Amino acid sequence: MTSEVHGHRADELCAAGLELYARALRDGRVRGEEASAAPCLIQAGLLHPVIEDPDRLEPATPATALHRLLRGIEERIAEERRREERLATVFEPLLRAAERSTTPADIGASAITLLGGVQQINTAITEALAEAKQELLCIQPHSHQHGKRGQQGQAVSLGRDQALLARGARIRTLYPHTLRHSPFVLDRYERLRGDAEARTLDQVTDRLIVVDRTVAFIPADADHTLALEIRHPTLISFFATTFDRLWHLATPMYPEAVRLPVIDGFTPRQRAIARLLVEGHTDTAIADRLGLNVRTARAHIAKLAAQLGSESRAQLGYLIGQSGILEREAAP
């Protein structure tokens, strides 16, 4: 640890120290009390007592002082490495004993970690992706790219994803249909280079990240400030299987987009809204399920109501049922 004296670090040369050292070089020596205002000079070995007059200090050459300081650092590093080896030797039998005594319950508990705060969550995801070699599976119900914070998050995500692709891994991402034309999402795929694919569904689950089918991340609260890091093989298998099944049901978006069908004048987004309205969801719940903000969701609901000739929310549900738009599917 570096000491601090009189408000400045001892291994940094302050302005007073530089001036005093220059005078010591010029005059050959300075009074000892003058160095009290610049202890960094003595700490760095640039001034030392005169043998025949201990109350005075004379300068050492900068090369000599630097060599002495660097040698001390090298010795401390060597000692830390020796200490590292000793600790590894001491703990080796303890680690073996712990492995033999580990129970299935212990494995389950250690396989799930609660992460608190956006920074800790992002750090854990970044570390997992840095070790990945095969694939990243991701479900993104929202773009979450609003304002400066969103742009910074986009930059971080792009950087780590591109590094993964550069190692020959692949990325598969599922979005709701409502994000097919999102500028942030489209910009992301214009920048990525490698084996990246995206597909969309009417609705997707909450956010899910699966890395190399060995570690997964899911939200642990509604605000997405808590997350679970999961390494339990059974849970990982469940998440990966769920993703695979949703992937086969989804409509390709990138690199080759498949146009979503319009049936009897109703778009896939309108049909998704209609289905949620019939199920009794509120405007807020509909917006969340489809990755929209509430205002946009209400605008789509109003447009659907006008298209069906509805004058009330209750009548809209009835007209949706009578129209049969939820029963008719696109021809293959």
Side-chain angles (χ1 to χ4, degrees):
M1 180 180 295
T2 303
S3 60
E4 186 169 317
V5 185
H6 295 302
H8 68 280
R9 291 163 56 95
D11 63 351
E12 295 178 351
L13 297 181
C14 61
L18 291 172
E19 182 180 349
L20 182 61
Y21 182 71
R23 185 152 56 84
L25 287 175
R26 185 179 65 249
D27 299 340
R29 58 187 61 183
V30 295
R31 295 193 307 275
E33 59 266 23
E34 293 182 83
S36 61
C40 51
L41 293 177
I42 297 177
Q43 291 284 339
L46 289 167
L47 288 180
H48 57 83
V50 178
I51 296 177
E52 67 273 14
D53 188 0
D55 292 333
R56 293 185 176 275
L57 303 172
E58 61 182 359
T61 64
T64 300
L66 178 61
H67 176 72
R68 187 181 298 114
L69 290 172
L70 293 178
R71 186 175 59 192
I73 292 173
E74 291 171 355
E75 290 174 354
R76 288 195 297 273
I77 292 175
E79 175 57 31
E80 287 299 319
R81 287 174 178 167
R82 290 191 291 270
R83 182 169 179 267
E84 179 183 347
E85 293 174 357
R86 291 196 299 270
L87 286 172
T89 301
V90 170
F91 274 78
E92 183 178 359
L94 302 179
L95 293 170
R96 287 199 303 267
E99 289 176 358
R100 290 194 297 270
S101 64
T102 299
T103 66
D106 295 327
I107 295 173
S110 63
I112 301 177
T113 304
L114 179 64
L115 305 173
V118 174
Q119 182 175 353
Q120 186 180 22
I121 295 170
N122 285 336
T123 298
I125 294 173
T126 299
E127 290 175 352
L129 287 176
E131 299 175 358
K133 298 178 181 179
Q134 299 175 358
E135 68 176 358
L136 166 63
L137 308 178
C138 189
I139 296 179
Q140 288 283 16
H142 302 278
S143 65
H144 291 306
Q145 302 298 334
H146 303 293
K148 183 176 180 181
R149 180 178 174 183
Q151 293 174 358
Q152 292 173 343
Q154 172 87 321
V156 171
S157 174
L158 276 172
R160 66 193 182 196
D161 288 357
Q162 184 56 63
L164 177 63
L165 291 171
R167 293 197 297 273
R170 68 176 188 172
I171 296 177
R172 302 289 182 269
T173 308
L174 283 169
Y175 299 97
H177 287 328
T178 51
L179 294 182
R180 287 181 73 89
H181 304 292
S182 165
F184 291 105
V185 174
L186 295 176
D187 178 67
R188 166 185 170 80
Y189 287 97
E190 287 178 359
R191 297 188 184 191
L192 288 177
R193 296 292 180 269
D195 187 3
E197 289 187 45
R199 296 185 180 184
T200 62
L201 290 163
D202 278 349
Q203 302 177 53
V204 295
T205 66
D206 209 335
R207 193 182 188 202
L208 169 67
I209 294 175
V210 181
V211 181
D212 276 0
R213 303 193 182 226
T214 58
V215 56
F217 299 89
I218 61 173
D221 68 341
D223 296 330
H224 290 193
T225 56
L226 296 175
L228 294 181
E229 178 181 328
I230 301 170
R231 296 181 181 270
H232 196 292
T234 302
L235 292 175
I236 295 296
S237 177
F238 173 80
F239 293 142
T241 300
T242 300
F243 181 93
D244 289 339
R245 292 179 179 176
L246 291 175
W247 182 259
H248 289 300
L249 294 172
T251 303
M253 168 187 150
Y254 181 88
E256 294 185 7
V258 173
R259 186 178 180 85
L260 296 174
V262 176
I263 303 175
D264 295 340
F266 294 95
T267 67
R269 179 180 298 183
Q270 289 174 317
R271 295 198 301 274
I273 291 174
R275 186 175 297 108
L276 293 172
L277 283 169
V278 170
E279 292 174 2
H281 294 284
T282 64
D283 294 353
T284 301
I286 291 173
D288 186 64
R289 293 278 288 270
L290 298 181
L292 302 168
N293 60 53
V294 176
R295 179 179 299 179
T296 301
R298 286 172 177 162
H300 285 297
I301 292 171
K303 185 175 180 180
L304 179 63
Q307 196 166 344
L308 291 173
S310 171
E311 298 179 356
S312 68
R313 186 67 168 250
Q315 186 185 24
L316 178 57
Y318 171 79
L319 292 175
I320 289 173
Q322 290 295 309
S323 69
I325 63 174
L326 300 183
E327 301 172 4
R328 293 192 291 273
E329 298 183 356

